[in-house]
């Protein structure tokens, strides 16, 4: 049965971010395209619990803590990709599977703000859908809690076409995930300033309008509002009521929530969870390397996470373009190695080098075989290589050159072998002829 796997953890001795061996083993074998849902927010707000609902687990889920102590540490990943169903996202841009990321709660008393910023940035950098989880209403306090968003433009950089690295909101926004603000224990009536009913999405937009006032606190809140609007172009809001409201479950049931069947909880809570699922699964998009860029698999997501962790550990700002380029180059090199293997193994099977047996092959036959193997090698290359940019073109040219060199080498070997066989045959014939002559 699937269980959560620790993904990115902080080494207690070095304080560096490390990707666990367990996560490497898991993600390395996920070859399907993936969408990545990450849930982040203040600690002890029910993030892990909601992720277990998305995973649909009936067994061991993400750790749900029942005390005041922060529970989740670092970033965890659900140990089995979630396959999209017939009613979920499909067609161009839709992933084959979804990965779920649970993150350490922000503002827990035993962590520094620098640590929070690392976890928060990583969750945004790795996600295709980012869920920000918070309690009750979107008020000034909730906006204060999201001040990390305003810092993102100073914490993440991207290269523009003119070759400059920088982190302005306009530059970063195209790389940012879809944003869903998930409100928990929401009990307010949803009406606008004129008293008319409004949707949760409209409520979010209203809350993101700048507040009037010149105090430092208001200016900071407005900077956060502006950052959310300019960095997350696609925004939505879902509000869930208190899960036990009106159910007759005792207050202590909250501590047992992870063991309580969903059907026993508040009906609006259950339908809100289902709406969240529908939005995330139905609107799922592959995590891509940039707009219209190649879609990531579990394996390449792992590489991307590695690049970002390395940058953060070195004290550098994660650079989206550098990380993308590094992943593309690594994949193209792997494609080159795999393509070369197909060619070399094919030649080995066609003309085994470790035998003296005569080989019935004429040059036309050999030419055809080379063409066939080169085609297979290129097919294998293209199934792995990422993108159609210079890295892929360069690696493909190397593969063609490598196959040509192998062809020449093998031709020379075949020629040598043919000469040895001919000489042997001539010697044998001469011997036989000599013997017959002597006998005569
Ligand atoms: N009031 C309330 N409590 C909830 C809700 N969902 C879960 N809980 C309870 O809140 C407590 C914390 O839940 P977790 O899922 O561990 O919260 P978390 O945000 O992952 O916590 P950290 O990992 O410490 O950041 C548990 O006792 C849950 O049963 C909710 O919607 N409302
Ligand atoms: Mg948790």
């Amino acid at each position: 049965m699937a269980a959560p796997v620790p993904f990115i953890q902080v080494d207690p001795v070095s304080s560096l971010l490390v990707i666990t061996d367990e996560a490497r083993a898991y993600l390395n074998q996920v070859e399907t395209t993936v969408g990545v849902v990450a849930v982040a927010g203040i600690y002890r707000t029910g993030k892990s619990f909601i992720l277990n609902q998305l995973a649909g687990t009936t067994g061991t889920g993400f750790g749900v803590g029942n005390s005041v102590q922060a529970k989740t540490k670092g970033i965890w990943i659900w140990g089995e990709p979630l396959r999209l169903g017939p009613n979920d996202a499909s067609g161009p841009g839709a992933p084959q599977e979804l990965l779920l990321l649970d993150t350490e709660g922000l503002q827990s008393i035993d962590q520094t703000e620098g640590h929070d910023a690392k976890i928060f940035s990583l969750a945004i950098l790795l996600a295709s859908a980012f869920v920000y989880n918070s309690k009750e209403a979107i008020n000034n306090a909730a906006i204060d809690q999201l001040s990390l968003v305003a810092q993102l433009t100073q914490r993440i950089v991207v290269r523009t076409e003119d070759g400059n690295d920088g982190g302005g909101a306009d530059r970063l926004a195209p790389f940012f995930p879809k944003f869903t603000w998930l409100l928990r224990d929401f009990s307010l009536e949803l009406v606008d300033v004129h008293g008319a009913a409004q949707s949760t999405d409209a409520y979010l937009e209203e809350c993101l309008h700048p507040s009037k006032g010149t105090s430092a606190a208001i200016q900071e809140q407005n900077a956060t509002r502006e950052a959310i609007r300019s960095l997350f172009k696609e925004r939505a809001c879902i509000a869930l009521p208190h899960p036990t409201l009106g159910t007759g479950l005792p207050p202590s049931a909250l501590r047992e929530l992870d063991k309580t069947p969903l059907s026993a909880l508040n009906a609006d809570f259950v339908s809100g969870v289902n709406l969240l699922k529908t939005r995330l699964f139905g609107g799922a998009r592959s995590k891509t390397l940039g707009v219209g860029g190649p879609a990531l698999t579990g394996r390449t997501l792992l590489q991307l996470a590695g690049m970002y962790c390395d940058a953060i550990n070195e004290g550098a700002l994660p650079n989206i373009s550098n990380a993308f380029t590094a992943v593309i180059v690594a994949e193209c090199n792997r494609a080159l190695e795999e393509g070369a293997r197909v060619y070399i193994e094919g030649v080995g099977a066609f003309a085994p080098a470790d035998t003296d047996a005569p080989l019935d092959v004429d040059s036309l036959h050999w030419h055809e075989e080379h063409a066939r193997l080169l085609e297979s090698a290129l097919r294998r290359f293209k199934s792995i290589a990422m993108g159609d940019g210079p890295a892929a073109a360069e690696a493909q040219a190397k593969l063609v050159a490598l196959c040509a060199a192998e062809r020449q080498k093998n031709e020379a070997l075949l020629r040598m072998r043919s000469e040895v066989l001919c000489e042997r045959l001539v010697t044998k014939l001469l011997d036989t002829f000599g013997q017959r002559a002597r006998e005569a």
Side-chain angles (χ1 to χ4, degrees), residues 222-394:
N222 284 345
T224 301
R225 290 186 170 98
E226 164 63 22
I228 297 172
R229 284 201 314 269
S230 53
L231 284 169
F232 299 103
K233 297 290 183 199
E234 285 180 84
R235 303 180 290 270
C237 176
I238 293 181
L240 305 179
H242 192 289
T244 63
L245 184 77
T247 58
L249 288 166
S252 61
L254 263 191
R255 290 201 290 272
E256 299 281 301
L257 215 51
D258 49 331
K259 296 178 194 74
T260 312
L262 201 58
S263 55
L265 302 181
N266 175 290
D268 289 339
F269 179 87
V270 177
S271 57
V273 170
N274 287 334
L275 175 67
L276 179 68
K277 266 190 195 171
T278 309
R279 292 255 184 105
L280 294 175
F281 286 63
R285 253 184 259 141
S286 296
K287 174 74 185 166
T288 59
L289 293 183
V291 185
L296 292 179
T297 61
R299 214 170 38 71
T300 45
L301 180 81
L302 176 67
Q303 291 179 17
L304 189 66
M307 307 290 169
Y308 288 140
C309 287
D310 287 351
I312 294 173
N313 287 338
E314 284 160 17
L317 299 179
N319 185 316
I320 295 177
S321 333
N322 286 357
F324 285 6
T325 306
V327 171
I328 288 173
V329 168
E331 276 307 273
C332 290
N333 285 340
R334 193 173 75 86
L336 166 61
E337 276 170 29
E338 280 291 303
R341 194 175 58 76
V342 166
Y343 186 88
I344 291 167
E345 283 182 8
V347 171
F350 178 74
D354 56 353
T355 166
D356 277 348
L359 199 62
D360 185 12
V361 45
D362 56 35
S363 56
L364 178 66
H365 191 179
W366 163 241
H367 176 75
E368 282 169 3
E369 188 59 16
H370 162 75
R372 194 185 65 77
L373 287 175
L374 179 59
E375 204 183 300
S376 306
L378 284 172
R379 216 176 305 123
R380 180 85 182 118
F381 174 87
K382 284 179 185 151
S383 72
I384 299 172
M386 272 188 132
D388 46 12
E394 195 181 314

Side-chain angles (χ1 to χ4, degrees), residues 10 73 104-105 107-116:
V10 177
K73 299 286 177 191
E104 180 168 338
Q107 295 182 4
S108 85
I109 29 183
D110 51 352
Q111 289 295 3
T112 60
E113 196 188 315
H115 174 80
D116 278 2

